[in-house]
Amino acid sequence: MANNVFVRDILPDRLLYNSGTTKIDNVATADGITSGGINIGSLSPGQSKTVYFEGTLEREVRFVRGTTTLTNTGYARADQINEIQDLANIVVTYTGCDPEKNRPPAR
């Protein structure tokens, strides 16, 4: 049995947490996953819980044209169990703005 399972997430630069979106097994829970972490309770051997939240990319001016890979890091620990981490890559492809749609208005 893993007691007091605590999870947290360190979002990469240019990815912002959407407030109020954290859920544990599809049940809304308090924010905190990206600002210190949340306790998801205890887990029996073989049991799992799904932690969900949403994020938003920063504005396009923060990205170069082409592909940018952002690496997200998630952490989990429990009483008498050392913290472990896992990584997920987020691939952002930015092709630039459409010059036909992004011109200043005619004078």
Side-chain angles (χ1 to χ4, degrees), residues 5-76:
V5 178
F6 189 83
V7 295
R8 63 189 178 97
D9 196 283
I10 305 297
L11 294 177
D13 185 41
R14 296 176 282 180
L15 186 60
L16 308 171
Y17 172 74
N18 292 352
S19 181
T21 62
T22 302
K23 296 179 184 177
I24 302 170
D25 287 339
N26 211 30
V27 176
T29 192
D31 287 333
I33 188 78
T34 61
S35 60
I38 57 173
N39 187 317
I40 64 168
S42 296
L43 293 172
S44 299
Q47 181 185 6
S48 66
K49 291 187 179 183
T50 301
V51 177
Y52 170 91
F53 64 90
E54 296 176 7
T56 302
L57 290 172
E58 290 220 22
R59 296 187 49 215
E60 67 277 358
V61 297
R62 297 283 319 268
F63 294 91
V64 297
R65 286 184 190 211
T67 301
T68 301
T69 300
L70 306 177
T71 301
N72 184 67
T73 308
Y75 299 87

Side-chain angles (χ1 to χ4, degrees), residues 76-97:
R77 65 177 168 80
D79 290 352
Q80 297 168 4
I81 298 174
N82 291 333
E83 186 170 71
I84 60 172
Q85 71 179 41
D86 198 10
L87 305 174
N89 287 329
I90 301 142
V91 179
V92 179
T93 302
Y94 176 56
T95 58
C97 61

